[in-house]
Structure formats: C-alpha cells, structure tokens
Amino acid sequence: AWSMSASAVFVLDLKGKVLICRNYKGDVDMSEIDHFFTLLVQQEEEGLLCPVMSHGNVHFLWIKHSNLYLVATTNKNSNASLVYAFLYKLVEVFTEYFKELEEESIQDNFVVVYELLDELMDFGFPQTTDSKILQEYITQQGNKLEVAKTKVPTTVTNAVSWRSEGIRYKKNEVFIDVIESINVLVNANGSVMSSDIVGSIKLKTMLSGMPELRLGLNDRMLFALTGRDKGKAVTMEDVKFHQCVRLSRFESDRTISFIPPDGESELMSYRINTHVKPLIWIESVIEKFSHSRVEIMVKAKGQFKKQSVANNVEIRVPVPSDADSPKFKTSTGHAKYVPEKNLVVWSIKSFPGGKEFLMRAHFGLPSVENHEMEGRPPITVKFEIPYFTVSGIQVRYMKIIEKSGYQALPWVRYITQSGGERRFA
Amino acid sequence: MTDSKYFTTTKKGEIFELKAELNSDKKEKKKEAVKKVIASMTVGKDVSALFPDVVNCMQTDNLELKKLVYLYLMNYAKSQPDMAIMAVNTFVKDCEDLNPLIRALAVRTMGCIRVDKITEYLCEPLRKCLKDEDPYVRKTAAVCVAKLHDINAQLVEDQGFLDTLKDLISDSNPMVVANAVAALSEIAESHPNSNLLDLNPQTINKLLTALNECTEWGQIFILDCLASYLPRDDRESQSICERVTPRLSHANSAVVLSAVKVLMKFMEMLPKDLDYYGTLLKKLAPPLVTLLSAEPELQYVALRNINLIVQKRPEILKHEMKVFFVKYNDPIYVKLEKLDIMIRLASQANIAQVLAELKEYATEVDVDFVRKAVRAIGRCAIKVEQSAERCVSTLLDLIQTKVNYVVQEAIVVIKDIFRKYPNKYESVIATLCENLDSLDEPEARAAMIWIVGEYAERIDNADELLESFLEGFHDESTQVQLQLLTAIVKLFLKKPTETQELVQQVLSLATQDSDNPDLRDRGYIYWRLLSTDPVAAKEVVLAEKPLISEETDLIEPTLLEELICHIGTLASVYHKPPSAFVEGSRGVQHKRLPPRAGSGESTESPDVGQSGPSEAPPAVIPSQGDLLGDLLNLDLAPPTATVPSVQPSMQMGAMDLLGGGLDSLMGAGLGAAPAAMPASLGSAPAVGGGLGDLFDLGGGVGMPTGSYVAPKTVWLLAMKAKGLEISGTFARRGGIIQMDLSLTNKAMSVMTDFAIQFNRNSFGLAPAGPLQVLTPLSPNQTIDVSLPLSTSGPVMKMEPLNNLQQMQKYRKEGFLFSSLLEA
C-alpha cells in the first residue's frame, strides 16, 4: 500500500477547535477531526502522548506550534516522515509570511492561508514549499494585484526551484556564519557520557544574477581525495545539505557546489564525533536540609584557550519547587531566581578562558515537606565563544562565479555555542 | 487591516444580506461578500444556500476572488451536484486562459470537485492541460489524473489518460516527472495487479536523473517509487544504490528515510563479500544517527525505523549505543523508543555503560519511563549472560529504594531472570519476600507468587506467605488467582504433609466459588490430576520449564522483511503490516525484500523470485514486537491476542514456501494437529486445544511444485487420539495454501466439536479460518475437509468459539493432557 501523505490538514487551537482546514483527498470524513482532541486529552492524562494517534481507520499525525495544533489525517499507509516534514514546512512558510504563527495570525490572514494551503499541497502531494518563491506570486496584498500581473515564476518548476532570475545587488557580498554547538552529557560522577559537535554553515547571500558558488572546507575526506594536506583537517561524520547543493557531486569528489538561494539560508549542517570536554566545566554541591534550607554551590571553569572569551554565559541550576527566600553570592556576574521554572540562572557577561568562578545560593524550605516527586533536571550551560570553533573547521575559500563577471566578497564568522547538560549526583 | 473582521457578522438574516452583497454591481463589494462567505464557511456555518450567487462571481479577472470562489466550490459542490454544473463552463474557459496560473488553478480545482456528473465535461480541458506548454500546468494536470481516477477510474482509462501520464515520466521538467510518478504510484495502489508503473531499466534511469533535479518532495515520490522496483541482478542493484546514496546527505529527514528504504531493500541483493556491500553498510550509520537531531516527531519515526533496522542488520549501528542515551528534555515517546533500541544494541562490550544509564533512568520521575528502565535491566540480564549478576545486584539496589512501582517492576523482571538462569540467583528471594506487602499490582503480585511457588522448598514460610494471599482471593485479578492456584499446587506437591488444607481451600475457591471459566477449569484439572495420579501431577506441574530467550521480543522475520519495505511509513511506525490498519488493502500483495544474494535462486522471474529458506529463521515468538513487554511467561501471562494482525490473505511467496520449505517445515515440527474429542472430560474444546500441542507430527510431506498435490498420508493414528485418524496433505489452489484433511472416526461413539490449532512454526502458517466440520462424525465415517491456511500465524482463534483465553490457557498447560492420555 503506497500512498503519499495527508488526506487533509487542519489547524486547531489549544481547545481543539478547527481554525482552518483543507481537504486534499476527500477519502477521510472531515468530521473525524473531532476525535483528535479527545484522543489527545486522553493520552495526555495517561502520560503516553504520541505523535501518531488513531481512531478507527483514521490516523492523526500532529505537531504543536505555539498555541496551535497542526494535524494531518490519513486512512492509508502514509509516508509518516514526509507528513511531519511537511507539517514543519507549513510552520516555516506561515512563519515567514506572518512573522509569528499563532491563532491570531491564522485568523487575520485566512485568505492567504487558504491560498497557501492550495499551493503547498495537491491531492496529498507536497508541491512548492519555498516561501521566498511563493511570495513572488502569493502575496498578502492580493487585492492590489490584478490577474495580468500575477504569473507563475518559472522558478517554481525549474530545476533551480529556490532562486529566481533577475536578482540585482549594487554591492555583491556573501556572509558565511560557521556556528558550532557542542552537546556534552556529563554524568553525576563527572565522566563524559557522550559528546558531539553539531555545526551549521549559514549564508546571507546578496549576489546578483545566477552565481555559481563553491565552498572549500578543511575536510579530511576532501584532502585525502585530492592528495593535499594543508595543516589541520576535520573529519565530518555526517553532512546534510540544503536543496541547492549538488549532492551527487559531493558524493563523488566532496565538492560543495551550488547556486545559492537569495538572502538567508542554512547551506549545510554537519556532525563531528570527536570526544570533547565541556568548554565550561561545572561542579556543584547541593545540600538539602529537610524542612529548613537548601544550599547550593556551583563552580564554573573555562576550559578553553586563554585568548578566547565566552560571552553571555548562562548557567541554569534547578532548585526544588517549594524553595523560597533566595540569597545569592557570586564571584562574578549575577544570579537570579526564576520561580516559574524552578531555576537559578547565573549570568556572566564575559568569561575568559582558564578562569574559574563560584556561585553560592541559599534557599529556605517550608516545614511541611513537598511529597510530590520531582525530576532531577541537569544543570545546563549556555554561552557563545566568537572567532572560534571547537572542531577547528575552517572555510578555506568561497569561489563565486557569475557570468557577468562581477567581483564579490565573502565574509566569514565563526562562533561556538553550547548545549551541554550535567547530571546531579 | 486584517481579515479577522470578516468573522464578526452573526446577525439574523445574514444569508439574506450576503446574497444581496454577492449580487452587487460593485466589484469590491462582491469580493468583500465572498470573503465573508468563506469566513463563515471557515467557522463551520452552512453557507451552501448561497451556491448560485457565489458561482455567479466565478467569472472575474480578479485572481484572489477567483481563488475564493473555487475554494467555495470545492467545499459545497458535492452537496449541490446539480448546481455544480453551472461552474463547468468557467472551468473550461479558465483552462484556456492566457495565464498559466489560471489554467493550473482551474485544472487543480476541477479535480477536487468530486461530482460524478461533471467529470466527463472535464476530460477535454484536462487533455489539453496535460500537453500544456507550461510545466506548472502539466505538473498540476498530472496530479489531476489521479484525482479523476479516484472519482471515476473507468473514465480515466477509457480516455487514455493513463498513457499520457506514463509519457510524462519522460517529461523534460523534473517537477512534472515527480508529480507524474506520484500520481501513477497512487493510481497503481488501487490496481495492485496492473503493470501501470512498468518500471524497467530505462524508466529507472529517467527517474534517477530526475532525482537530482526535483524538489525535496519530488525526490521522496521518486525514491518511494524506486523502492517498489525489483532490479534484475546485483549489478543493477548496486548501480541504483550508488545513485541513491547521495540523498543520504539531504537536509530533509523524509528524503533520507526514503533513501534508506531503497538501500535497505536493494542491498539484500548484494553479495555480502562484495566490497561495496561493506561500504554501503558504513554509509548508512551516520545519517541514521543524524536523524536523532531532527524535530521530536521525526525523531520518533526515525527511532521506530531504527528499531527495525537494528533487527534486520544489527551490524549497522552496533557501535552507536551512546547516541541513544536519553536526554532529560526528550519527549516521553522518544525516551521510550531510545530505551528499546539501547537494549537491542546491548552487548558484552557496552553492557557496563548501558547498565549505568539504565540505573540513572530508574531514578527519574516519569513513572512509565522508570518502569521501562527497570524492565530493561532485566532484559539486559537475559540478553547478555555475563551481565546477569550485575543486573541482579542493580535490581536489588533499586528494590532498596522502596519506591513502590520500582520494587514491583524489579520483582517482575527478577522472576524472568530466575527463568533464564535457574539455580543461580535464588539467594535474593529473602529480600524479595520482605517486599511482599507493598505489592499492589497484579503483575507484581503474580510474579511474587510464582517465585514463592517455584521455590517453595527453599522458603520456610512459603505456606504462610501463600495463605496470606488467599484471604482476599476473590478480589484478586484473574492473573493472580491463576498463579496462586498453581503456586499452592506446587507447594503441595513439594510439601504435601503440611499443606493439604491449603490446597483444598484453593481448589474449592477456584472451582466452586468462581465464575471464571479459566480458573474453574484449571482448578478441576489440578483436582483430577492430584486425585487420580499424583506422580503424573508432579511430572506435569513441576516439569522443567523451557528457558526463556532474548529472542522473544524480535519481530517475526517475514513481518520484519515486509516492514523494511515500508520504512518511513505508518506501517514502520506501528510495526504492523499495512493490511492490519488500512481498509481495502487485504489481498494486496505483501511487500517482500528481493531475493537474497547467494540464495541460489533465479532472479529472472521477479514474480515468483522470492527468497528461499536458505537461512533457517531463528525460533521466535512473534508477540507484538514490544521489546519490554511481558516476557514469555508460560504460567501466568494473560493471553496476548495481539498476534500481528489476522490477514486471511496470501503472500506471494506461498509457492516457494510450499515448494522449498515444506520438508523443513514439517520436520521442524509444524505440529499442525487437528484434534477432536468427545465432550466427556468436562470441557471438550479445551481438550481439543491441548491436543493441538500434544501431537507433534512426524510425517513430513514434500512437494516439489505448487501445482502438484501429494497424496494424503496418515498424520495421526487413531490409537493415539481416542479413535480419530487424520490423514492429510497440502495443496495450493488459486494462490492459497490449503490443508486437505480426511478425518475418520475409528471409535465407537460419535465425535463432535472439531477444532484445529497450529503450533508456532517459523513460517507463521496458521488456519485462515475455522475448521468447518458441520456434522457429527459417526463411527467408521470419514469426511474430507479443506482448510485454507495463511501465513499470518501463529496463534489462531478456535472453533467452537468459547474464547481465545481458554484455548491459550490450555495450550500452555499442554503436557498436562499428554500425561493423562498416556496414563
């Protein structure tokens, strides 16, 4: 049984009321959606929420975004991954159209929403979902445009479906951001359970015409293929590319060649498996004196080069939900209690490499003990280190060729972010 | 100004007012009115009464207005079929518009108006649009063919649209190709036997070329279509794999999963010693791992699929244990799936790490997750023998936490560990007994009672412990009652002198005071057994139990193969074949992996070229594949009626199954034992069920080809079955395997209540329906019956119906009868 995806797509509010919907195939009764919310509530109560639910022979595949549920129905053996990818694409397109996707923006723009739903999917098959291209022929000022003016951009059906022709810039530039996040899971006894680096190369392209770009990285596999070895190379475990990159070309000779989408886009992401230590090492001592107080001591150490500085460091320390009357002492930065999240947030504007800082917190506990079981969320750390990547990845060149022969400048920025968690003892 | 103002009108006479506005001369007013109508429609008000007025607005040069009117038409045309005809002219006209956007809009909307009456008017415009110069119109028209086919298949065929659609596969525009492929695949689904897609190396080549150029969604259509192709040989298979692997680097997770599906399927055909085979295996791991960074719902789909992939090809991810470690903020459905995969990947090499993680999880707050983590520790003990001791001590640590549900889960899994490693860890029984009072869940109580009964001779106060449960016997769940009954009988057989009163008490509770037929029947059986032949009773009740194995949680191999062919789809998420949850898909061909490389079979005839049983499938119990579900528990498990869907449909591989596999099948103890008993022993159907297990068939019937039917041979001698003689053979008729039986009554009395049950067998062979023997069988009478079989086994409902529970229960107590009969 081969069937593409959704029979119908619904946007619901938090109470399960349908705000807007589109029936694509007509093989599932539209009133079936009434069962969705009942099922959802039921599963929520049982604590067994699942992204796929079924009622009779109807299946609901859903995601939640701000105060909305986006639900696809089907009675076939649909391609589930396609459906979820499409629902997330809907969120992306609507967000680019309306800035925020929420109940109000759906209501305020229902005419455009209908138009988009009509264009994004046909008979359950996703069609053009590139919002930049869609904006060329589906506009929010529809009433001003008369028929004669609105044509399908040839881009829609072109092999290059992400960039229109005729783009002009006075000054041709491309900005490249290399952003790395490290995810380190540290066990209660301080050993690193798992670590990986997820990198992303983002472009802001301001180039005229149809430029051909070629990005050169210090990719170990590329070096091995070309036989050159210029200093440090990086082994990328896995790479994912934007639609625009010629995948077969990369597969055969590791060349990253593409015609970029105009404006901002994520060109590629990669995953690196090297074992890394947390860049900011956290140690904590938490003493809980029942019925009276909790004392927390957190030590943070910058385990990166002395020349580098971590900015906007945020260390989030969970505290018991019934804690009160907080008192803090920090050797740098400031600490704040966020009771709605049961957290102490210790912020440090600038954290030089090699330095070590301390934070002490004192909380009162009520005399009547809270019997509710509480999770033991880990301590999490957020920061940014500019001009630096943990992996050592480098943009070696960005070649830009356009038939008009203009000169264009590439600008590269590096930044490292964190995404680590440290479990409690 | 936003559109929300259109929602505000709720006055009386609204429809009347709108009608007037729709008929206004002013363009702007008209448009505003249509917007109000659509707004009302959106909030669920019935505005179908305005149909003629809205349709009157259709002829406009305002695109936005036109779209709104079209939207209205799609919603209400079905309820106003007669008036929908009014719209036809405009559609026909719009399909000729100068602007391709309008032409496409018209052809797209046309197909969505599911009114039979107007479909024939749409054929000419559609024919033109299929040949339109603009690819945007052509790709929309391609989809429209699928829509029209859904409404009137015959019309589409008569008009020759299918051929035009096939031609579009060679279109110069990749988007047109992709949509034509999607439309054709969709149509082919409702014509399972048509050769619509007609995939051959030339079309495959076209598809592979388009793959590089079309949108991400188009790539998925093409990949899913490719997955249904059967390459001619391993070289073609490899060349397709080579051209598909670059898709693994696509940012869209759905593209990646569809590519994984094609690769997993086609690599089956590659010889394992081929270098490329190894390369491909290595290429699959990183993208699968990266899927775990996707949005949670996509992660979930990926994890459910990885669960299948690690069962099919464990080597791919065997070094990737750590990526499945649970993160604090993972949604619960992701956590549970990760846990499941962690155990599948657990091995001696990584067990220490796994256990440390599991212990960590067991202290979390989410009850379901904690329970599953505790069970997982038990699974590890059973899976990795070297870790058993460490697992047991971890479980004891957890019991010391005294967290109620942790203790209960721990006891349930420790019982399983006892079953796997007898006479090794019984020293912990004392600790377990300390927690007796805190057990309030039936499963944990039953597990504890089992332990006390099983090890009664080592527990000084076993009688007191069991007696304490007896007080509230009638308030216990059936599971606990059954277990208590068995445990006390065990205790009695081990310590007869002190426990006579106790056993009488429980037997009387079970047989006289209970309304539960299961319990009563088991009670009577024990009673008779104990009163007639205590020695036999001992042999039966205290018989050595088969060890449980880690394989119990594996998905049955044919189902696994089918699911691999459905990677990325709902079937792979549910771990059920599509026929189990999609209506009308019964009888549709089950997807199978291509013949395995080196299986020695001809791959020239793809129709029958299924893999032969070149590798003996492991003995498995195809319960619902949930790794952490209840372990095989011979004594007390409630019957799991969740055999992977009952499909009375045949697999394409049936012929091979009979041709190549029957010998081994029979030899392996298919145990297809039809049996019947006169209703003399209190419960005839139960006995029938028991017999199903008793008679392990000896005679094997070989059958070289599908059409040849071997003569019947005697399978069951009358002297072994109270006068019932059974002979039989297997035949294949119209694609269905049938078992032909002759039942002869060689006894003195009439036989009734025939029933049949199959033992589990590696081919999942099971009756596709009840055994139809309508008349009672008189002495010396013979009747012939033919029983259709399916491969959806292994446990089937019995006739007379009674209930499944009953059958299963007796089946589990199978040897009981064998002793009786021998005696």
Side-chain angles (χ1 to χ4, degrees):
Chain A
W2 189 94
S3 186
M4 236 28 242
S5 66
S7 175
V9 169
F10 301 81
V11 181
L12 277 65
D13 70 8
L14 284 183
K15 291 188 195 108
K17 194 183 90 190
V18 177
L19 296 174
I20 207 159
C21 61
R22 173 65 202 256
N23 188 354
Y24 289 108
K25 295 191 69 175
D27 56 352
V28 174
D29 196 317
M30 293 299 274
S31 65
E32 287 284 341
I33 194 67
D34 298 343
H35 300 294
F36 167 77
F37 196 65
T38 324
L39 283 168
L40 187 83
V41 172
Q42 201 181 321
Q43 286 202 346
E44 230 159 23
E45 278 169 6
E46 291 165 4
L48 291 166
L49 214 52
C50 184
V52 198
M53 304 190 295
S54 62
H55 179 269
N57 62 348
V58 179
H59 309 274
F60 303 98
L61 290 83
W62 62 280
I63 65 171
K64 194 180 171 197
H65 178 85
S66 71
N67 55 1
L68 300 172
Y69 295 105
L70 284 85
V71 190
T73 53
T74 178
N75 58 5
K76 299 273 160 50
N77 181 30
S78 296
N79 185 327
S81 50
L82 176 140
V83 174
Y84 291 119
F86 178 76
L87 292 177
Y88 275 103
K89 202 63 168 187
L90 274 186
V91 172
E92 193 185 311
V93 171
F94 288 159
T95 308
E96 282 182 43
Y97 262 83
F98 315 129
K99 292 214 173 64
E100 298 275 328
L101 170 58
E102 52 193 15
E103 192 175 334
E104 296 69 32
S105 52
I106 294 280
Q107 258 161 5
D108 291 351
N109 300 284
F110 78 95
V111 174
V112 180
V113 172
Y114 274 129
E115 281 189 53
L116 286 171
L117 287 173
D118 197 37
E119 197 65 39
L120 289 164
M121 183 175 259
D122 195 7
F123 202 54
F125 310 132
Q127 302 290 316
T128 311
T129 54
D130 191 309
S131 67
K132 287 197 196 79
I133 306 304
L134 286 165
Q135 276 167 348
E136 290 180 28
Y137 66 110
I138 295 177
T139 58
Q140 279 152 294
Q141 288 79 42
N143 44 355
K144 284 179 201 148
L145 282 171
E146 285 306 301
V147 170
K149 287 184 198 159
T150 321
K151 291 255 181 195
V152 202
T154 49
T155 325
V156 172
T157 48
N158 266 349
V160 180
S161 60
W162 54 89
R163 184 184 179 93
S164 289
E165 284 179 36
I167 295 169
R168 284 266 156 270
Y169 284 98
K170 270 188 189 160
K171 195 173 173 191
N172 289 295
E173 292 176 302
V174 54
F175 298 89
I176 307 164
D177 277 346
V178 181
I179 303 157
E180 279 189 354
S181 308
I182 44 171
N183 294 294
V184 189
L185 176 60
V186 183
N187 211 356
N189 56 25
S191 53
V192 175
M193 297 299 287
S194 68
S195 69
D196 62 16
I197 301 170
V198 176
S200 158
I201 298 186
K202 293 186 175 164
L203 298 184
K204 188 176 180 191
T205 313
M206 301 163 81
L207 298 171
S208 311
M210 280 297 205
E212 273 287 342
L213 270 58
R214 203 136 64 83
L215 174 70
L217 299 172
N218 55 341
D219 169 15
R220 176 156 293 142
M221 297 254 292
L222 175 68
F223 285 1
L225 276 173
T226 54
R228 79 170 91 192
D229 187 5
K230 285 187 177 171
K232 206 186 163 203
V234 166
T235 308
M236 292 184 284
E237 177 76 10
D238 191 31
V239 194
K240 290 282 172 282
F241 290 109
H242 183 273
Q243 178 84 36
C244 68
V245 176
R246 295 180 184 97
L247 298 182
S248 330
R249 181 90 197 267
F250 179 77
E251 177 81 10
S252 64
D253 63 9
R254 301 289 281 193
T255 302
I256 303 168
S257 76
F258 54 99
I259 297 172
D262 188 43
E264 290 178 31
S265 61
E266 182 177 62
L267 178 71
M268 62 180 281
S269 62
Y270 55 87
R271 193 163 52 75
I272 292 175
N273 244 356
T274 46
H275 195 84
V276 282
K277 279 186 303 183
L279 293 181
I280 294 184
W281 179 259
I282 300 291
E283 274 172 42
S284 68
V285 179
I286 298 184
E287 278 183 290
K288 192 171 171 181
F289 303 90
S290 282
H291 317 298
S292 74
R293 65 188 196 278
V294 178
E295 283 174 7
I296 299 171
M297 193 276 292
V298 176
K299 189 167 83 178
K301 192 180 173 200
Q303 300 193 121
F304 46 92
K305 282 185 290 187
K306 288 212 170 67
Q307 306 92 294
S308 288
V309 174
N311 293 329
N312 305 318
V313 179
E314 242 184 47
I315 299 164
R316 293 160 170 260
V317 186
V319 292
S321 60
D322 52 356
D324 56 42
S325 30
K327 281 178 212 146
F328 304 110
K329 229 160 102 183
T330 57
S331 61
T332 190
H334 70 280
K336 204 176 102 188
Y337 177 43
V338 189
E340 64 274 17
K341 288 181 177 163
N342 302 320
L343 282 177
V344 173
V345 180
W346 178 20
S347 314
I348 303 162
K349 267 258 164 283
S350 125
F351 195 135
K355 284 277 186 326
E356 197 176 291
F357 299 111
L358 267 180
M359 191 264 300
R360 282 177 199 280
H362 176 109
F363 283 91
L365 283 180
S367 51
V368 185
E369 203 169 335
N370 181 2
H371 281 292
E372 252 174 67
M373 276 282 282
E374 280 179 23
R376 300 186 307 151
I379 299 184
T380 55
V381 190
K382 276 169 74 178
F383 57 85
E384 291 176 3
I385 306 176
Y387 319 115
F388 166 77
T389 56
V390 206
S391 68
I393 200 163
Q394 274 178 349
V395 173
R396 291 170 52 237
Y397 58 81
M398 174 72 100
K399 288 184 181 153
I400 303 161
I401 301 162
E402 215 278 335
K403 58 174 185 268
S404 66
Y406 60 71
Q407 288 293 308
L409 288 174
W411 305 93
V412 188
R413 258 194 322 192
Y414 298 95
I415 192 163
T416 291
Q417 298 172 339
S418 71
E421 43 185 69
R422 165 87 204 237
R423 287 180 186 157
F424 280 110
Chain B
M1 189 46 117
T2 71
D3 295 342
S4 52
K5 63 176 181 208
Y6 300 110
F7 291 101
T8 48
T9 50
T10 43
K11 292 171 294 207
K12 249 190 172 179
E14 186 190 356
I15 296 280
F16 185 75
E17 260 177 46
L18 283 172
K19 208 176 178 77
E21 286 174 38
L22 286 168
N23 290 305
S24 159
D25 296 333
K26 287 179 190 141
K27 266 189 184 178
E28 203 50 37
K29 196 154 196 181
K30 255 187 183 178
K31 198 165 85 180
E32 291 296 290
V34 174
K35 281 193 183 176
K36 281 184 203 163
V37 171
I38 299 292
S40 300
M41 186 185 93
T42 304
V43 295
K45 282 185 213 157
D46 183 9
V47 284
S48 60
L50 296 165
F51 199 88
D53 311 281
V54 177
V55 172
N56 270 336
C57 304
M58 198 168 160
Q59 290 222 29
T60 169
D61 53 2
N62 183 302
L63 186 57
E64 193 189 12
L65 179 56
K66 193 178 274 290
K67 283 184 178 174
L68 290 173
V69 175
Y70 277 5
L71 183 67
Y72 179 91
L73 268 174
M74 283 189 271
N75 259 345
Y76 290 112
K78 208 156 187 193
S79 60
Q80 311 266 346
D82 294 325
M83 280 198 270
I85 305 252
M86 290 166 62
V88 168
N89 275 337
T90 315
F91 278 128
V92 174
K93 209 171 139 234
D94 281 355
C95 282
E96 313 233 339
D97 199 279
L98 283 175
N99 186 339
L101 204 55
I102 305 263
R103 297 201 294 277
L105 186 65
V107 79
R108 183 163 64 213
T109 311
M110 244 165 48
C112 296
I113 296 178
R114 305 172 62 85
V115 176
D116 216 11
K117 273 185 187 169
I118 68 166
T119 45
E120 56 188 292
Y121 296 101
L122 306 178
C123 291
E124 280 324 299
L126 176 58
R127 195 184 315 283
K128 277 183 196 151
C129 288
L130 281 165
K131 305 236 151 107
D132 200 284
E133 54 170 24
D134 193 301
Y136 182 76
V137 180
R138 289 202 302 282
K139 70 108 182 164
T140 312
V143 176
C144 187
V145 175
K147 293 178 187 169
L148 205 56
H149 186 272
D150 203 33
I151 305 165
N152 191 341
Q154 195 57 46
L155 182 72
V156 169
E157 278 169 46
D158 294 346
Q159 295 282 329
F161 286 142
L162 293 181
D163 293 322
T164 321
L165 199 53
K166 279 190 208 169
D167 293 343
L168 289 180
I169 290 191
S170 312
D171 198 279
S172 57
N173 184 289
M175 184 97 165
V176 176
V177 177
N179 275 302
V181 166
L184 277 171
S185 306
E186 181 87 24
I187 294 170
E189 196 208 339
S190 53
H191 287 260
N193 297 319
S194 72
N195 204 14
L196 244 191
L197 274 162
D198 190 25
L199 296 174
N200 54 51
Q202 288 73 41
T203 46
I204 291 295
N205 195 40
K206 280 174 196 155
L207 294 183
L208 287 167
T209 309
L211 188 59
N212 289 323
E213 291 174 341
C214 60
T215 66
E216 48 200 314
W217 313 110
Q219 293 181 23
I220 300 169
F221 308 157
I222 291 177
L223 288 167
D224 282 0
C225 176
L226 276 177
S228 63
Y229 177 65
L230 187 69
R232 288 161 310 170
D233 51 33
D234 55 330
R235 284 180 49 197
E236 191 188 6
S237 188
Q238 176 174 347
S239 103
I240 295 173
C241 288
E242 279 167 353
R243 293 175 71 179
V244 166
T245 35
R247 298 299 121 195
L248 295 175
S249 299
H250 200 289
N252 186 323
S253 302
V255 174
V256 175
L257 263 181
S258 285
V260 168
K261 167 164 55 192
V262 175
L263 298 171
M264 280 295 288
K265 208 179 158 189
F266 289 7
M267 76 191 296
E268 191 79 6
M269 288 180 73
L270 302 177
K272 286 198 173 181
D273 49 1
L274 193 72
D275 284 348
Y276 181 71
Y277 178 82
T279 314
L280 197 51
L281 275 184
K282 279 200 202 95
K283 278 195 174 151
L284 277 168
L288 287 173
V289 172
T290 306
L291 287 174
L292 303 186
S293 328
E295 289 84 0
E297 293 82 4
L298 281 160
Q299 270 186 61
Y300 176 69
V301 177
L303 286 164
R304 292 293 284 172
N305 279 282
I306 288 170
N307 201 323
L308 299 172
I309 292 168
V310 297
Q311 290 185 61
K312 179 72 192 156
R313 299 195 180 278
E315 61 273 35
I316 295 177
L317 287 164
K318 67 177 174 196
H319 298 302
E320 303 289 350
M321 170 64 86
K322 284 184 177 182
V323 302
F324 298 102
F325 286 175
V326 169
K327 297 203 173 95
Y328 186 79
N329 285 324
D330 283 337
I332 180 70
Y333 53 83
V334 166
K335 285 184 177 177
L336 295 175
E337 287 309 314
K338 282 186 172 174
L339 201 51
D340 224 76
I341 294 167
M342 278 172 70
I343 305 156
R344 294 206 191 277
L345 292 176
S347 67
Q348 204 186 337
N350 57 27
I351 195 73
Q353 263 183 330
V354 174
L355 270 182
E357 278 294 298
L358 292 178
K359 202 173 170 184
E360 185 79 34
Y361 304 160
T363 61
E364 291 233 9
V365 270
D366 191 310
V367 176
D368 290 300
F369 182 56
V370 171
R371 284 176 183 277
K372 212 163 176 178
V374 176
R375 291 208 172 199
I377 297 172
R379 302 285 325 164
C380 285
I382 287 160
K383 185 158 188 218
V384 185
E385 186 163 359
Q386 297 84 349
S387 74
E389 196 163 336
R390 211 161 358 167
C391 293
V392 171
S393 84
T394 306
L395 288 168
L396 285 178
D397 287 351
L398 289 172
I399 287 175
Q400 301 305 341
T401 64
K402 303 276 175 199
V403 177
N404 194 271
Y405 53 86
V406 173
V407 173
Q408 310 209 44
E409 287 298 325
I411 286 177
V412 172
V413 293
I414 285 178
K415 176 211 65 195
D416 292 332
I417 295 173
F418 285 168
R419 288 280 315 277
K420 169 83 181 182
Y421 308 108
N423 304 317
K424 228 171 154 185
Y425 301 110
E426 283 77 7
S427 56
V428 307
I429 288 175
T431 318
L432 303 186
C433 288
E434 287 165 21
N435 293 282
L436 209 78
D437 296 336
S438 67
L439 308 180
D440 54 12
E441 289 163 18
E443 208 184 347
R445 288 173 79 83
M448 195 61 224
I449 292 168
W450 183 87
I451 292 170
V452 175
E454 188 68 15
Y455 300 101
E457 67 275 22
R458 309 183 192 200
I459 306 170
D460 293 339
N461 60 343
D463 50 342
E464 280 169 40
L465 293 177
L466 292 176
E467 196 173 3
S468 71
F469 282 102
L470 215 50
E471 283 159 23
F473 188 78
H474 289 299
D475 302 326
E476 299 283 1
S477 71
T478 308
Q479 188 183 12
V480 177
Q481 291 176 334
L482 287 169
Q483 199 47 249
L484 198 50
L485 173 61
T486 304
I488 292 178
V489 172
K490 283 180 186 167
L491 173 70
F492 171 71
L493 290 167
K494 290 174 180 183
K495 302 179 179 174
T497 45
E498 313 105 272
T499 58
Q500 209 153 4
E501 202 177 321
L502 194 60
V503 80
Q504 262 167 4
Q505 205 181 338
V506 78
L507 286 174
S508 116
L509 279 169
T511 54
Q512 281 156 33
D513 302 340
S514 171
D515 295 332
N516 186 323
D518 273 3
L519 187 63
R520 266 202 328 252
D521 287 352
R522 194 188 283 195
Y524 279 123
I525 290 156
Y526 283 141
W527 202 325
R528 295 222 168 88
L529 198 53
L530 292 174
S531 55
T532 50
D533 190 347
V535 181
K538 216 164 183 166
E539 274 172 30
V540 170
V541 179
L542 303 180
E544 213 167 293
K545 276 162 271 312
L547 295 183
I548 45 176
S549 91
E550 49 152 321
E551 282 160 355
T552 50
D553 54 75
L554 292 177
I555 294 177
E556 185 265 327
T558 46
L559 176 61
L560 182 61
E561 290 208 350
E562 187 177 357
L563 294 179
I564 291 286
C565 299
H566 289 294
I567 281 177
T569 69
L570 278 178
S572 73
V573 175
Y574 290 139
H575 290 184
K576 283 181 190 168
S579 54
F581 62 90
V582 179
E583 257 179 27
S585 66
R586 285 162 181 229
V588 169
Q589 182 182 339
H590 287 246
K591 296 212 175 182
R592 292 284 302 267
L593 289 176
R596 220 166 274 134
S599 66
E601 264 180 67
S602 161
T603 52
E604 294 301 327
S605 49
D607 296 353
V608 288
Q610 308 294 350
S611 64
S614 55
E615 290 168 30
V620 289
I621 289 138
S623 70
Q624 215 19 329
D626 181 359
L627 181 57
L628 296 165
D630 196 67
L631 285 167
L632 168 65
N633 182 339
L634 287 178
D635 278 305
L636 57 81
T640 40
T642 48
V643 180
S645 84
V646 178
Q647 331 128 266
S649 57
M650 260 338 293
Q651 297 203 354
M652 280 299 290
M655 193 147 100
D656 278 65
L657 200 136
L658 281 180
L662 198 62
D663 274 315
S664 58
L665 190 137
M666 296 300 287
L670 165 63
M677 287 290 290
S680 64
L681 233 154
S683 171
V687 175
L691 286 173
D693 261 18
L694 297 184
F695 301 114
D696 259 351
L697 290 188
V701 190
M703 204 186 299
T705 67
S707 53
Y708 168 74
V709 179
K712 285 175 185 158
T713 51
V714 176
W715 286 351
L716 181 63
L717 291 170
M719 56 173 286
K720 284 197 172 177
K722 295 212 163 174
L724 177 69
E725 186 186 85
I726 298 173
S727 54
T729 183
F730 288 91
R732 185 168 184 262
R733 296 186 193 97
I736 298 191
I737 310 177
Q738 297 199 313
M739 186 167 75
D740 294 343
L741 297 172
S742 294
L743 310 181
T744 309
N745 183 351
K746 299 205 167 173
M748 304 299 284
S749 55
V750 172
M751 291 179 174
T752 54
D753 292 326
F754 290 92
I756 187 158
Q757 181 165 355
F758 280 27
N759 241 347
R760 295 183 180 115
N761 61 76
S762 33
F763 293 86
L765 213 55
L771 182 68
Q772 300 283 355
V773 184
L774 296 173
T775 44
L777 192 56
S778 311
N780 281 323
Q781 194 190 345
T782 298
I783 41 168
D784 291 323
V785 280
S786 200
L787 182 69
L789 304 182
S790 80
T791 46
S792 63
V795 185
M796 293 295 295
K797 206 165 28 175
M798 286 199 46
E799 199 69 33
L801 245 153
N802 273 23
N803 64 29
L804 193 61
Q805 220 166 339
Q806 183 131 339
M807 308 323 304
Q808 287 218 343
K809 188 189 105 188
Y810 282 103
R811 207 167 48 72
K812 280 173 182 159
E813 295 281 331
F815 17 67
L816 189 65
F817 295 100
S818 91
S819 305
L820 258 185
L821 287 164
E822 243 101 74

